[in-house]
Amino acid sequence: MTPSRPPVDTTMRAVLLEEFGSPLVLGAIRTPVPGPGQVLVRIAASGVNPLDTKISAGKAAHARTRPPAVLGLDLAGVVEETRADVTGLAPGDEVFGLTGGVGDLQGSLAEYAAVDARLLARKPDALTMRQAAALPLVFITAWEGLVDRAGVREGQKVLVHGGAGGIGHVAVQLARARGAEVFATGSPRSLQTIAGLGATPIDRTTTPVDAYVAEHTGGEGFDVVFDTVGGETLDASFTAVRTYTGHVVSALGWGTHSLAPLSFRGAGYSGVFTLLPMLTGRGREHHGAILREAAALAEAGALRPLVDPRRFTLSTAAEAHGVVERGEGRGKVVVDVAG
């Protein structure tokens, strides 16, 4: 192990979920020691996602979390220590990643985390720690859907459902960066945000699927439809996609759906389960590679996360969870851990 600065304390502050449905509690736990392939990260900021609140409430069995646990999926921070078998990262490097808060992996609502180095990428200079902490889960989900599954490319028409949401606003920027013409649905209050991201806004409350398919694709359907909402919106996606060559991707495939509309078009469907590499240990290198793509886009000015301006700390992390749970965020909610 290679120390970078004065030795870290043996205990650290962390926000604990003691049992599902109970309030989050700020306490002290042992500072983790990095194992093989890991680095110790001093956490500067922790992104809060809707999944975090579902885990806390005991409504996310697929995350395989068992209390007592430290939640928090996303982080940005500084490498403090590295194991000898880790290459490409060194003490003092600023990094970001989707690193924990599920399975047996410690989350980011803590002062430090021992992290699999494969899950990390260097933080781009163009982003603050808060901005970087807002990106990992949503960008990886958008990349896996739009690039890995659907192969979005120049000249295509892409429809993003929920274009101002956490995943959606990043998906819009990613699709545009790859040369697609992008359209996005949203509520009336989100249409200005969608337009500001460079997509054509569609009011989902007043415009039927047939109407916007006719207006924007001449009735042919969209080449790629990315659903970040689920439920009836996924059903609508099956009727909005292009015949034969179209591809529907969903990050929220819960519920029971008829595939007949999709089958009648001869179109394809893919689901995205972003947590899989963390839960299984397989494919973690790919997550790090995706975040390097995010960093490159950010440095090129093609990617900026929308971050809620309110400031939260470890002491008020429960309030941050409440904002997300109630859907009151004006962009991604981030908890400031350092400072």
Side-chain angles (χ1 to χ4, degrees):
M1 194 181 301
T2 305
S4 62
R5 294 170 175 77
V8 300
D9 293 336
T10 57
T11 61
M12 66 177 182
R13 294 187 305 148
V15 177
L16 303 173
L17 174 68
E18 296 180 329
E19 59 182 60
F20 291 130
S22 67
L24 298 176
V25 177
L26 180 60
I29 63 174
R30 182 174 294 277
T31 303
V33 176
Q38 293 184 328
V39 302
L40 184 68
V41 177
R42 176 165 47 88
I43 300 170
S46 169
V48 183
N49 295 280
L51 178 57
D52 292 306
T53 67
K54 292 182 175 66
I55 292 172
S56 181
K59 298 178 180 179
H62 61 291
R64 305 178 198 170
T65 307
R66 292 173 297 183
V70 177
L71 302 186
L73 299 160
D74 296 325
L75 65 74
V78 179
V79 174
E80 285 287 323
E81 301 174 359
T82 67
R83 290 284 294 223
D85 59 346
V86 172
T87 60
L89 291 175
D93 287 344
E94 295 185 336
V95 294
F96 70 129
L98 171 65
T99 61
V102 297
D104 60 357
L105 302 178
Q106 181 211 300
S108 55
L109 286 175
E111 292 180 303
Y112 296 91
V115 174
D116 187 329
R118 296 174 295 174
L119 295 170
L120 295 170
R122 293 176 184 271
K123 182 189 77 67
D125 292 338
L127 298 182
T128 66
M129 287 289 187
R130 285 170 53 80
Q131 289 174 318
L135 270 178
L137 175 65
V138 294
F139 186 86
I140 291 171
T141 302
W143 183 280
E144 289 188 340
L146 291 174
V147 181
D148 291 346
R149 306 293 192 275
V152 167
R153 59 188 182 276
E154 186 175 358
Q156 290 185 320
K157 290 189 174 184
V158 174
L159 174 65
V160 177
H161 285 303
I167 300 170
H169 87 281
V170 169
V172 166
Q173 295 177 74
L174 176 57
R176 291 192 71 244
R178 294 182 67 84
E181 182 181 3
V182 185
F183 306 80
T185 64
S187 64
R189 69 175 185 174
S190 69
L191 299 182
Q192 184 175 352
T193 297
I194 290 170
L197 294 169
T200 299
I202 300 170
D203 187 341
R204 62 172 175 79
T205 67
T206 60
T207 313
V209 177
D210 290 347
Y212 62 71
V213 169
E215 179 181 357
H216 299 300
T217 73
E220 293 295 320
F222 296 90
D223 297 291
V224 176
V225 181
F226 190 21
D227 165 43
T228 73
V229 180
E232 293 180 354
T233 303
L234 180 53
D235 292 323
S237 301
F238 294 157
T239 64
V241 70
R242 179 181 289 273
T243 301
Y244 293 130
T245 59
H247 200 134
V248 174
V249 183
S250 181
L252 287 171
W254 303 109
T256 301
H257 303 272
S258 171
L259 295 178
L262 189 70
S263 299
F264 291 154
R265 284 168 172 74
Y269 170 79
S270 296
V272 175
F273 184 33
T274 315
L275 305 183
L276 205 56
M278 287 196 294
L279 293 173
T280 66
R282 297 174 57 187
R284 291 184 177 181
E285 298 91 342
H286 187 48
H287 274 196
I290 291 172
L291 291 178
R292 288 192 289 275
E293 297 284 356
L297 288 175
E299 295 289 23
L303 176 66
R304 285 293 182 276
L306 301 177
V307 178
D308 189 287
R310 284 168 285 192
R311 307 299 288 248
F312 302 94
T313 65
L314 290 180
S315 299
T316 57
E319 296 176 24
H321 269 228
V323 169
V324 173
E325 190 170 18
R326 294 188 298 272
E328 297 173 354
R330 302 187 298 274
K332 284 294 298 292
V333 172
V334 175
V335 173
D336 297 311
V337 176

